[in-house]
Amino acid sequence: MTHVTVIGLGAMGLPMATHLTKSFDVKVYDINPVALEKAAAAGATPASSLEQAADGADVVVLIVRDAAQLQSALFGTGGVVDGLAPGSVVVITSTVGETALVRAADLLEARGILCVDAALSGGPVRAETGDLLIMVGGSPEARSVTQPVLDALGSTVCVVGDKVGQGQQLKAVNQLLCGIHTAAAAEALALAHQLGLDLDMVIDVLGAGAAASFMFADRGPRIAQQLRGETPPLRSRLDVIGKDMGIVGDVAREQKVSVPLASAAEQLYRLGEAAGLAAEDDSIISTLFAASDK
């Protein structure tokens, strides 16, 4: 049996880890003891450190927030690389941008450890059922080791290319759309709210027509809760989508491509962060458009 370690048990990592326990021997690590308990209840084995979590693993799936956490988890004192044997594979699923991922892959290669760039899309609900879209970049050798794990996590596993970083390239394009669609959903529902329309009805009706999108269906109910002054469950932090849109902007500038809609959406998320909402669900941006107690 392939031994899999999952590092990071946040909104995406926890459902991914619990789903993998159905097919693999899974160890997990996170600084949050509650998340570790939930993973253990699903059949995973909690580890007390990054190094211990990586020890004996054939494949390590890393799901962290940003490039700084990626660097620390892999290469910090007592990090993942201290527990891995040569020939093992690190699967980086985090949206960190091509440059950060290639740098990490080079450092791993220097230690005889393979790397696969496996950017994700689909959200926590689809992670629970192994229904993610996974955009893969990496050598055929590394991909062959990780293929069973990726197939368990995703219903659509797309090999973008043989180079680490190519998955991140496609993920940037994906996030451009996601960031714009989320902002558009918040704007549209804020208008509907001010018009006095029933938001649940609006979501159902528009979801059946040409205006439908995954992000509208996914974020819409939580946006409606925000506009009614309720508190929805935390699914995707505002600072995470802001970080992703920053990566989109960096890529666009590097490629000299104009992305005015993406830039406008990013600035909306930055306004939310400046208002102290960084740790809130990203549906909170709807409250920047209209009063939440109409």
Side-chain angles (χ1 to χ4, degrees), residues 42-56:
T45 301
S48 60
S49 69
L50 288 164
E51 183 177 356
Q52 184 190 66
D55 184 34

Side-chain angles (χ1 to χ4, degrees), residues 26-257:
V26 178
K27 280 202 293 186
V28 291
Y29 178 76
D30 195 280
I31 59 173
N32 181 355
V34 175
L36 285 173
E37 290 174 5
K38 290 180 179 179
T45 301
S48 60
S49 69
L50 288 164
E51 183 177 356
Q52 184 190 66
D55 184 34
D58 302 304
V59 176
V60 171
V61 180
L62 197 66
I63 314 162
V64 294
R65 185 177 301 166
D66 53 31
Q69 286 190 1
L70 173 69
Q71 183 74 17
S72 176
L74 286 176
F75 307 110
T77 302
V80 168
V81 295
D82 293 331
L84 281 179
S88 53
V89 186
V90 173
V91 178
I92 300 175
T93 67
S94 310
T95 304
V96 295
E98 180 184 3
T99 300
L101 204 144
V102 170
R103 183 184 303 118
D106 288 344
L107 292 171
L108 289 169
E109 183 181 1
R111 293 172 175 257
I113 300 168
L114 301 174
C115 182
V116 168
D117 167 16
L120 308 174
S121 183
V125 173
R126 288 172 63 179
E128 291 174 357
T129 59
D131 189 31
L132 294 170
L133 162 64
I134 306 179
M135 295 158 275
V136 180
S139 70
E141 178 188 2
R143 296 200 317 264
S144 67
V145 176
T146 59
Q147 194 67 50
V149 177
L150 298 179
D151 286 342
L153 291 171
S155 56
T156 303
V157 180
C158 171
V159 177
V160 185
D162 292 341
K163 295 180 180 179
V164 167
Q166 290 178 299
Q168 291 288 313
Q169 291 175 345
L170 184 53
K171 181 61 184 289
V173 179
N174 180 86
Q175 291 310 95
L176 181 150
L177 289 168
C178 288
I180 291 172
H181 288 178
T182 298
E187 187 173 309
L189 289 173
L191 176 59
H193 178 65
Q194 290 301 106
L195 289 169
L197 298 174
D198 180 276
L199 294 180
D200 295 331
M201 177 273 293
V202 170
I203 293 166
D204 287 342
V205 171
L206 298 187
S213 72
F214 174 86
M215 299 307 285
F216 183 79
D218 181 73
R219 297 301 198 273
R222 304 205 299 278
I223 290 171
Q225 287 181 276
Q226 298 280 11
L227 291 168
R228 290 192 292 255
E230 302 165 7
T231 302
L234 175 60
R235 288 288 194 167
S236 180
R237 285 172 52 127
L238 181 68
D239 57 359
V240 172
I241 198 169
K243 175 263 299 180
D244 290 354
M245 294 306 284
I247 291 173
V248 170
D250 290 342
V251 172
R253 282 185 289 274
E254 182 180 317
Q255 297 300 319
K256 296 181 173 57
V257 175

